[in-house]
Amino acid sequence: MRRIGAAIAALPLLLAGCTGADADPLGEPLPDDAAATADGWLYQLSGYQDDTLDAVAAAPQPTAVVDLARDGGDDYWTAAEITALHDAGKTVYAYFTMGSIETYRPEYDAVAAAGSDLVLNQWGDWPDEYFVKYWEQDWWDLVMRPRLDQAAAAGFDGVYLDVPNAYEEIDLALVPGETRETLARKMADLVIAVDEYTAGGLAVLPQNSPELIEQDGYLDAVDGIGIEELWFLNADTPCDEDWCAENLANTRAIRDAGKLILAVDYAADPANKAAACAHYADEGFSGAVAGVDLDTVYEPCQ
């Protein structure tokens, strides 16, 4: 998960064209026709040039994920600005979190003051971010519903919902009676509620936690998934943990159900970028190789 204010400086990326190398840095074989990539996508959450989406509109990728607001606060993109992206041939998704709250978001004070004690433990990797009781009605009323309404009013094609993995990260001591299993069920229920509320007016794409397809109703509720670090961790580190293979298997199952896959890896080494691009082509994923801060327009796989 990446967002505004990440401590690691991003490198402007110029992606090398995908090559026909025999194997990637993980030792996996690459497809013979590595240049035949699926449609790519652009993922930018901050650093918008001149506080506009002009550079996003000019980029070649047909799909873009941008923050709901240009500043991470309440300076929301307007309907005219999103229409300009549509006129440039883009499908556009609004990014926001559904399992956590950042202290710089305009809803934070109300969430922190809610009588249901919504705010839970701080996320160690992100000092400005706290997990929340995402299953409470207050969370829906204060955050989820207004953000969905804002995305619809601005004309976004869908929402890109980060931090479904909150169910794995919440301190269980703060939520007596809950287990990882009950929290996973409640996260799936939140995604289903988003789908029901938007009634097809917005596509629903959670980011990560593809294992939630094991929850009844979840797969039917999503139009696709965003998935980070299938092949390379931040940054240029081969993803060879057991969970990498598990994520890939679950992502393939979502693809096989006819859903959109937006995959992103964080790499700067040309060989790693080429390898990731080749795997996107082989898997039929829409792919992106980016810098970890997601604060610049980068070149797509060639």
Side-chain angles (χ1 to χ4, degrees):
M1 182 211 49
R2 310 290 170 239
R3 61 182 26 68
I4 298 166
I8 302 171
L11 295 174
L13 296 181
L14 293 175
L15 291 186
C18 297
T19 67
D22 293 334
D24 73 5
L26 295 174
E28 297 181 11
L30 297 181
D32 292 335
D33 187 10
T37 62
D39 286 342
W41 63 295
L42 179 64
Y43 194 11
Q44 186 176 10
L45 299 185
S46 65
Y48 303 107
Q49 186 176 6
D50 300 323
D51 289 331
T52 75
L53 293 172
D54 292 350
V56 175
Q61 294 93 325
T63 301
V65 173
V66 298
D67 197 274
L68 184 62
R70 79 189 73 237
D71 61 353
D74 58 6
D75 190 3
Y76 298 109
W77 300 115
T78 66
E81 289 170 312
I82 302 305
T83 296
L85 290 183
H86 288 152
D87 290 345
K90 300 279 190 287
T91 299
V92 194
Y93 299 95
Y95 171 98
F96 57 87
T97 63
M98 64 176 173
S100 65
I101 186 75
E102 306 102 328
T103 57
Y104 52 81
R105 295 290 181 178
E107 305 96 340
Y108 178 78
D109 288 344
V111 168
S116 50
D117 296 325
L118 290 181
V119 179
L120 298 171
N121 49 299
Q122 182 262 333
W123 196 345
D125 291 340
W126 306 97
D128 295 328
E129 187 160 1
Y130 291 81
F131 298 109
V132 297
K133 294 179 181 176
Y134 51 82
W135 55 93
E136 293 283 354
Q137 187 66 39
D138 281 345
W139 178 249
W140 180 264
D141 292 340
L142 293 171
V143 177
M144 293 300 297
R145 184 169 59 200
R147 289 179 178 179
L148 292 169
D149 289 345
Q150 179 63 39
F156 282 93
D157 297 286
V159 288
Y160 189 91
L161 305 171
D162 202 3
V163 202
N165 60 314
Y167 84 90
E168 298 180 290
E169 302 288 346
I170 286 171
D171 182 351
L172 292 178
L174 300 177
V175 285
E178 299 292 350
T179 66
R180 296 297 172 209
E181 291 73 22
T182 63
L183 292 178
R185 180 64 255 172
K186 289 178 177 180
M187 181 57 74
D189 288 341
L190 178 58
V191 172
I192 292 168
V194 169
D195 178 56
E196 291 176 348
Y197 181 74
T198 59
L202 291 169
V204 179
L205 277 75
Q207 176 170 273
N208 299 325
S209 301
E211 70 281 356
L212 288 173
I213 60 172
E214 298 171 2
Q215 300 293 327
D216 288 345
Y218 180 85
L219 187 58
D220 288 339
V222 302
D223 296 278
I225 189 172
I227 185 75
E228 295 178 297
E229 301 176 325
L230 286 175
W231 286 283
F232 294 98
L233 308 176
N234 169 43
D236 289 301
T237 301
C239 190
D240 55 7
E241 304 290 338
D242 289 345
W243 58 263
C244 303
E246 293 169 3
N247 277 353
L248 180 56
N250 285 318
T251 301
R252 285 169 171 162
I254 296 170
R255 174 204 61 197
D256 292 346
K259 311 290 184 173
L260 173 67
I261 306 298
L262 299 182
V264 59
D265 286 273
Y266 302 105
D269 182 270
N272 294 343
K273 291 185 283 186
C277 288
H279 282 298
Y280 302 147
D282 194 35
E283 298 287 348
F285 298 163
S286 182
V289 185
V292 66
D293 275 349
L294 298 173
D295 63 354
T296 188
V297 171
Y298 49 82
E299 294 295 322
C301 296
Q302 300 295 327

